[in-house]
Amino acid sequence: MMLRPDLKTAGGEVCDIMYNGEFVGTLTLVYRESDRLKGSIHLERQSIAQEDKESVYTFVESYIQSVIDALAIEECEVVANHSDYDFVIATDHAIGLDLAEEDDGTDQYYLDDDDADYEWVNDDEIKFDDIEGTNGPENLYMIEQRRQQLGYELVIVGEYRNLVEYHVYDKESELVAEAITHMYGSEVNGEVIWRFDPFDEEMDLVTELIVADYDEDETDTFIFNMIFEGEVIDTVELTHIDLLELVDDIREESLMPPDPEDYTITLARDDGDTLTYEIYQQSYGGLPIGTATVDISSRQLTGFIDFREPGDSDDRELIAALLLDELDKEKDYETFNVSMLYRNKLIDEIWFETDQLH
């Protein structure tokens, strides 16, 4: 077992949990020295067997204890889940004196620390949405890891004259959206009801899947309302001309690899162990399309790129390679792990490793 750093700053870190060489979950910690530590452990149910779960928890607990000792943490709370939450790592200040004094049969485990009384509290009744703050960026990181690779499937579940009902499933065969469309002459109106707040590319993909299900000779206009939690978050309107142009654009873009000469990466700030780069694209104009922040405090470099314009996966891969060329000028490294964000959501992640020469 090992923890592979994804992102590390002065006040927190995100690590991949590796078991037998495979990714099984994520550890997220946010801390303030000599004060508080909060975070979460998320194990992917499909990635690790039930019988291996406890040994991974023990391993991660040991690491958390070392962070507590190193930073002289006084108050700790780390929530763990394997799909649903299994337990909470918390000080008695965080869980409340009533819970600490009450013996209701709940399993409790104590971290070994001479200066503080920490408790592991198993609570099967705790659900993801019940924990205050679970929609923060640390947990969004874990949620979006499961949606990095889009592979949606459109299934017809009902068809009546001019009305069609669809379900949209992901690669794990989980329902991600429901759609209802009505056809009036050559116009198709519909709504897509999402189970989560979708990315633009997710809405575009589902739109394309629905449009492809209709005869292009019988339809001229498509109008779809994208709905999340009862509110319209976007409206997509396509005419027949738009569809033809979209197909042509997709074909052209798929045949044209990104041009390295179109990008410029400039060192904007050097804080010793942390470097900040601005990323420019000539075709986009004079404003940067993203900012990269990289921790170079060790030979295992970690960082993230906050995009203002996300591009596609080929663009992001090229940008990561160009960033690596700039880092070569500053630091010898063994590995480099970069997370890519757009609107505070993880959209891609790339891992580089140097070749070992013998």
Side-chain angles (χ1 to χ4, degrees), residues 334-352:
E334 295 176 353
T335 61
F336 176 44
N337 192 81
V338 57
S339 301
M340 301 185 180
L341 309 175
Y342 177 60
R343 294 180 179 173
N344 293 323
K345 297 180 181 180
L346 184 74
I347 58 173
D348 212 342
E349 187 170 20
I350 299 179
W351 171 269
F352 295 96

PDB file of all heavy atoms in Angstrom, residues 334-352:
ATOM      1  N   GLU A 334      11.299  12.810 -10.331  1.00  0.00           N
ATOM      2  CA  GLU A 334      11.057  11.396 -10.615  1.00  0.00           C
ATOM      3  C   GLU A 334       9.659  11.191 -11.188  1.00  0.00           C
ATOM      4  O   GLU A 334       9.474  10.405 -12.114  1.00  0.00           O
ATOM      5  CB  GLU A 334      11.227  10.564  -9.340  1.00  0.00           C
ATOM      6  CG  GLU A 334      12.652  10.556  -8.797  1.00  0.00           C
ATOM      7  CD  GLU A 334      12.760   9.805  -7.489  1.00  0.00           C
ATOM      8  OE1 GLU A 334      11.701   9.408  -6.936  1.00  0.00           O
ATOM      9  OE2 GLU A 334      13.886   9.630  -7.004  1.00  0.00           O
ATOM     10  N   THR A 335       8.699  11.890 -10.600  1.00  0.00           N
ATOM     11  CA  THR A 335       7.323  11.791 -11.081  1.00  0.00           C
ATOM     12  C   THR A 335       6.684  13.177 -11.055  1.00  0.00           C
ATOM     13  O   THR A 335       7.121  14.062 -10.323  1.00  0.00           O
ATOM     14  CB  THR A 335       6.474  10.833 -10.208  1.00  0.00           C
ATOM     15  OG1 THR A 335       6.432  11.338  -8.860  1.00  0.00           O
ATOM     16  CG2 THR A 335       7.043   9.431 -10.211  1.00  0.00           C
ATOM     17  N   PHE A 336       5.649  13.324 -11.850  1.00  0.00           N
ATOM     18  CA  PHE A 336       4.879  14.569 -11.854  1.00  0.00           C
ATOM     19  C   PHE A 336       3.409  14.213 -12.043  1.00  0.00           C
ATOM     20  O   PHE A 336       3.034  13.587 -13.029  1.00  0.00           O
ATOM     21  CB  PHE A 336       5.349  15.499 -12.977  1.00  0.00           C
ATOM     22  CG  PHE A 336       4.542  16.763 -13.100  1.00  0.00           C
ATOM     23  CD1 PHE A 336       4.188  17.491 -11.972  1.00  0.00           C
ATOM     24  CD2 PHE A 336       4.136  17.234 -14.349  1.00  0.00           C
ATOM     25  CE1 PHE A 336       3.450  18.662 -12.075  1.00  0.00           C
ATOM     26  CE2 PHE A 336       3.394  18.396 -14.465  1.00  0.00           C
ATOM     27  CZ  PHE A 336       3.051  19.115 -13.330  1.00  0.00           C
ATOM     28  N   ASN A 337       2.604  14.601 -11.073  1.00  0.00           N
ATOM     29  CA  ASN A 337       1.163  14.347 -11.140  1.00  0.00           C
ATOM     30  C   ASN A 337       0.435  15.683 -11.177  1.00  0.00           C
ATOM     31  O   ASN A 337       0.593  16.510 -10.281  1.00  0.00           O
ATOM     32  CB  ASN A 337       0.694  13.533  -9.934  1.00  0.00           C
ATOM     33  CG  ASN A 337      -0.710  13.005 -10.119  1.00  0.00           C
ATOM     34  OD1 ASN A 337      -0.927  11.993 -10.774  1.00  0.00           O
ATOM     35  ND2 ASN A 337      -1.676  13.692  -9.550  1.00  0.00           N
ATOM     36  N   VAL A 338      -0.341  15.902 -12.225  1.00  0.00           N
ATOM     37  CA  VAL A 338      -1.027  17.180 -12.384  1.00  0.00           C
ATOM     38  C   VAL A 338      -2.528  16.945 -12.523  1.00  0.00           C
ATOM     39  O   VAL A 338      -2.974  16.132 -13.322  1.00  0.00           O
ATOM     40  CB  VAL A 338      -0.463  17.974 -13.592  1.00  0.00           C
ATOM     41  CG1 VAL A 338      -0.566  17.183 -14.879  1.00  0.00           C
ATOM     42  CG2 VAL A 338      -1.168  19.321 -13.719  1.00  0.00           C
ATOM     43  N   SER A 339      -3.300  17.658 -11.700  1.00  0.00           N
ATOM     44  CA  SER A 339      -4.764  17.621 -11.768  1.00  0.00           C
ATOM     45  C   SER A 339      -5.241  18.856 -12.515  1.00  0.00           C
ATOM     46  O   SER A 339      -4.696  19.948 -12.348  1.00  0.00           O
ATOM     47  CB  SER A 339      -5.369  17.592 -10.360  1.00  0.00           C
ATOM     48  OG  SER A 339      -4.925  16.474  -9.634  1.00  0.00           O
ATOM     49  N   MET A 340      -6.280  18.689 -13.338  1.00  0.00           N
ATOM     50  CA  MET A 340      -6.767  19.780 -14.168  1.00  0.00           C
ATOM     51  C   MET A 340      -8.205  20.109 -13.785  1.00  0.00           C
ATOM     52  O   MET A 340      -9.057  19.209 -13.752  1.00  0.00           O
ATOM     53  CB  MET A 340      -6.663  19.407 -15.641  1.00  0.00           C
ATOM     54  CG  MET A 340      -5.219  19.084 -16.038  1.00  0.00           C
ATOM     55  SD  MET A 340      -5.008  18.789 -17.793  1.00  0.00           S
ATOM     56  CE  MET A 340      -3.229  18.458 -17.838  1.00  0.00           C
ATOM     57  N   LEU A 341      -8.448  21.386 -13.497  1.00  0.00           N
ATOM     58  CA  LEU A 341      -9.747  21.837 -13.000  1.00  0.00           C
ATOM     59  C   LEU A 341     -10.371  22.837 -13.956  1.00  0.00           C
ATOM     60  O   LEU A 341      -9.675  23.616 -14.610  1.00  0.00           O
ATOM     61  CB  LEU A 341      -9.589  22.490 -11.624  1.00  0.00           C
ATOM     62  CG  LEU A 341      -8.828  21.723 -10.548  1.00  0.00           C
ATOM     63  CD1 LEU A 341      -8.682  22.580  -9.311  1.00  0.00           C
ATOM     64  CD2 LEU A 341      -9.524  20.419 -10.212  1.00  0.00           C
ATOM     65  N   TYR A 342     -11.688  22.793 -14.031  1.00  0.00           N
ATOM     66  CA  TYR A 342     -12.450  23.808 -14.756  1.00  0.00           C
ATOM     67  C   TYR A 342     -13.693  24.120 -13.945  1.00  0.00           C
ATOM     68  O   TYR A 342     -14.472  23.232 -13.626  1.00  0.00           O
ATOM     69  CB  TYR A 342     -12.837  23.300 -16.153  1.00  0.00           C
ATOM     70  CG  TYR A 342     -13.685  24.283 -16.939  1.00  0.00           C
ATOM     71  CD1 TYR A 342     -13.217  25.553 -17.246  1.00  0.00           C
ATOM     72  CD2 TYR A 342     -14.952  23.921 -17.380  1.00  0.00           C
ATOM     73  CE1 TYR A 342     -13.993  26.446 -17.962  1.00  0.00           C
ATOM     74  CE2 TYR A 342     -15.740  24.811 -18.108  1.00  0.00           C
ATOM     75  CZ  TYR A 342     -15.256  26.071 -18.396  1.00  0.00           C
ATOM     76  OH  TYR A 342     -16.022  26.956 -19.103  1.00  0.00           O
ATOM     77  N   ARG A 343     -13.836  25.378 -13.553  1.00  0.00           N
ATOM     78  CA  ARG A 343     -14.925  25.803 -12.682  1.00  0.00           C
ATOM     79  C   ARG A 343     -14.948  24.987 -11.390  1.00  0.00           C
ATOM     80  O   ARG A 343     -15.994  24.523 -10.945  1.00  0.00           O
ATOM     81  CB  ARG A 343     -16.271  25.697 -13.417  1.00  0.00           C
ATOM     82  CG  ARG A 343     -16.389  26.654 -14.590  1.00  0.00           C
ATOM     83  CD  ARG A 343     -17.722  26.511 -15.289  1.00  0.00           C
ATOM     84  NE  ARG A 343     -17.827  27.452 -16.410  1.00  0.00           N
ATOM     85  CZ  ARG A 343     -18.842  27.460 -17.280  1.00  0.00           C
ATOM     86  NH1 ARG A 343     -19.828  26.602 -17.149  1.00  0.00           N
ATOM     87  NH2 ARG A 343     -18.860  28.337 -18.265  1.00  0.00           N
ATOM     88  N   ASN A 344     -13.756  24.777 -10.830  1.00  0.00           N
ATOM     89  CA  ASN A 344     -13.573  24.071  -9.559  1.00  0.00           C
ATOM     90  C   ASN A 344     -13.961  22.592  -9.627  1.00  0.00           C
ATOM     91  O   ASN A 344     -14.181  21.960  -8.596  1.00  0.00           O
ATOM     92  CB  ASN A 344     -14.360  24.751  -8.428  1.00  0.00           C
ATOM     93  CG  ASN A 344     -13.805  26.114  -8.092  1.00  0.00           C
ATOM     94  OD1 ASN A 344     -12.594  26.321  -8.118  1.00  0.00           O
ATOM     95  ND2 ASN A 344     -14.680  27.054  -7.784  1.00  0.00           N
ATOM     96  N   LYS A 345     -14.043  22.039 -10.831  1.00  0.00           N
ATOM     97  CA  LYS A 345     -14.340  20.619 -10.980  1.00  0.00           C
ATOM     98  C   LYS A 345     -13.183  19.938 -11.702  1.00  0.00           C
ATOM     99  O   LYS A 345     -12.621  20.482 -12.649  1.00  0.00           O
ATOM    100  CB  LYS A 345     -15.633  20.414 -11.776  1.00  0.00           C
ATOM    101  CG  LYS A 345     -16.870  20.974 -11.095  1.00  0.00           C
ATOM    102  CD  LYS A 345     -18.110  20.727 -11.937  1.00  0.00           C
ATOM    103  CE  LYS A 345     -19.356  21.299 -11.275  1.00  0.00           C
ATOM    104  NZ  LYS A 345     -20.571  21.067 -12.097  1.00  0.00           N
ATOM    105  N   LEU A 346     -12.839  18.747 -11.245  1.00  0.00           N
ATOM    106  CA  LEU A 346     -11.765  17.987 -11.869  1.00  0.00           C
ATOM    107  C   LEU A 346     -12.224  17.481 -13.229  1.00  0.00           C
ATOM    108  O   LEU A 346     -13.258  16.834 -13.341  1.00  0.00           O
ATOM    109  CB  LEU A 346     -11.384  16.794 -10.977  1.00  0.00           C
ATOM    110  CG  LEU A 346     -10.197  15.962 -11.482  1.00  0.00           C
ATOM    111  CD1 LEU A 346      -8.893  16.704 -11.265  1.00  0.00           C
ATOM    112  CD2 LEU A 346     -10.160  14.618 -10.777  1.00  0.00           C
ATOM    113  N   ILE A 347     -11.461  17.782 -14.285  1.00  0.00           N
ATOM    114  CA  ILE A 347     -11.822  17.326 -15.624  1.00  0.00           C
ATOM    115  C   ILE A 347     -10.785  16.394 -16.213  1.00  0.00           C
ATOM    116  O   ILE A 347     -11.066  15.686 -17.177  1.00  0.00           O
ATOM    117  CB  ILE A 347     -12.038  18.519 -16.578  1.00  0.00           C
ATOM    118  CG1 ILE A 347     -10.774  19.397 -16.649  1.00  0.00           C
ATOM    119  CG2 ILE A 347     -13.253  19.331 -16.164  1.00  0.00           C
ATOM    120  CD1 ILE A 347     -10.870  20.494 -17.705  1.00  0.00           C
ATOM    121  N   ASP A 348      -9.584  16.350 -15.645  1.00  0.00           N
ATOM    122  CA  ASP A 348      -8.544  15.481 -16.192  1.00  0.00           C
ATOM    123  C   ASP A 348      -7.429  15.345 -15.175  1.00  0.00           C
ATOM    124  O   ASP A 348      -7.302  16.166 -14.254  1.00  0.00           O
ATOM    125  CB  ASP A 348      -7.994  16.068 -17.500  1.00  0.00           C
ATOM    126  CG  ASP A 348      -7.552  14.993 -18.481  1.00  0.00           C
ATOM    127  OD1 ASP A 348      -7.359  13.843 -18.037  1.00  0.00           O
ATOM    128  OD2 ASP A 348      -7.416  15.292 -19.677  1.00  0.00           O
ATOM    129  N   GLU A 349      -6.627  14.309 -15.348  1.00  0.00           N
ATOM    130  CA  GLU A 349      -5.476  14.091 -14.471  1.00  0.00           C
ATOM    131  C   GLU A 349      -4.428  13.323 -15.258  1.00  0.00           C
ATOM    132  O   GLU A 349      -4.744  12.350 -15.959  1.00  0.00           O
ATOM    133  CB  GLU A 349      -5.888  13.316 -13.223  1.00  0.00           C
ATOM    134  CG  GLU A 349      -4.773  13.196 -12.199  1.00  0.00           C
ATOM    135  CD  GLU A 349      -5.280  12.636 -10.879  1.00  0.00           C
ATOM    136  OE1 GLU A 349      -6.354  12.009 -10.899  1.00  0.00           O
ATOM    137  OE2 GLU A 349      -4.600  12.826  -9.872  1.00  0.00           O
ATOM    138  N   ILE A 350      -3.175  13.778 -15.181  1.00  0.00           N
ATOM    139  CA  ILE A 350      -2.098  13.160 -15.952  1.00  0.00           C
ATOM    140  C   ILE A 350      -0.931  12.874 -15.024  1.00  0.00           C
ATOM    141  O   ILE A 350      -0.573  13.689 -14.172  1.00  0.00           O
ATOM    142  CB  ILE A 350      -1.648  14.065 -17.114  1.00  0.00           C
ATOM    143  CG1 ILE A 350      -2.814  14.302 -18.082  1.00  0.00           C
ATOM    144  CG2 ILE A 350      -0.474  13.454 -17.858  1.00  0.00           C
ATOM    145  CD1 ILE A 350      -2.480  15.208 -19.244  1.00  0.00           C
ATOM    146  N   TRP A 351      -0.330  11.692 -15.211  1.00  0.00           N
ATOM    147  CA  TRP A 351       0.791  11.239 -14.386  1.00  0.00           C
ATOM    148  C   TRP A 351       1.987  11.008 -15.292  1.00  0.00           C
ATOM    149  O   TRP A 351       1.905  10.257 -16.269  1.00  0.00           O
ATOM    150  CB  TRP A 351       0.379   9.950 -13.659  1.00  0.00           C
ATOM    151  CG  TRP A 351       1.482   9.232 -12.941  1.00  0.00           C
ATOM    152  CD1 TRP A 351       2.286   8.253 -13.433  1.00  0.00           C
ATOM    153  CD2 TRP A 351       1.896   9.417 -11.588  1.00  0.00           C
ATOM    154  NE1 TRP A 351       3.169   7.814 -12.485  1.00  0.00           N
ATOM    155  CE2 TRP A 351       2.954   8.514 -11.342  1.00  0.00           C
ATOM    156  CE3 TRP A 351       1.477  10.259 -10.566  1.00  0.00           C
ATOM    157  CZ2 TRP A 351       3.585   8.436 -10.109  1.00  0.00           C
ATOM    158  CZ3 TRP A 351       2.120  10.181  -9.344  1.00  0.00           C
ATOM    159  CH2 TRP A 351       3.146   9.272  -9.123  1.00  0.00           C
ATOM    160  N   PHE A 352       3.116  11.669 -14.989  1.00  0.00           N
ATOM    161  CA  PHE A 352       4.361  11.485 -15.730  1.00  0.00           C
ATOM    162  C   PHE A 352       5.370  10.798 -14.818  1.00  0.00           C
ATOM    163  O   PHE A 352       5.430  11.066 -13.617  1.00  0.00           O
ATOM    164  CB  PHE A 352       4.945  12.831 -16.176  1.00  0.00           C
ATOM    165  CG  PHE A 352       4.119  13.577 -17.166  1.00  0.00           C
ATOM    166  CD1 PHE A 352       3.239  14.567 -16.741  1.00  0.00           C
ATOM    167  CD2 PHE A 352       4.219  13.309 -18.511  1.00  0.00           C
ATOM    168  CE1 PHE A 352       2.482  15.275 -17.658  1.00  0.00           C
ATOM    169  CE2 PHE A 352       3.459  14.020 -19.423  1.00  0.00           C
ATOM    170  CZ  PHE A 352       2.578  14.999 -19.004  1.00  0.00           C
TER     171      PHE A 352
END
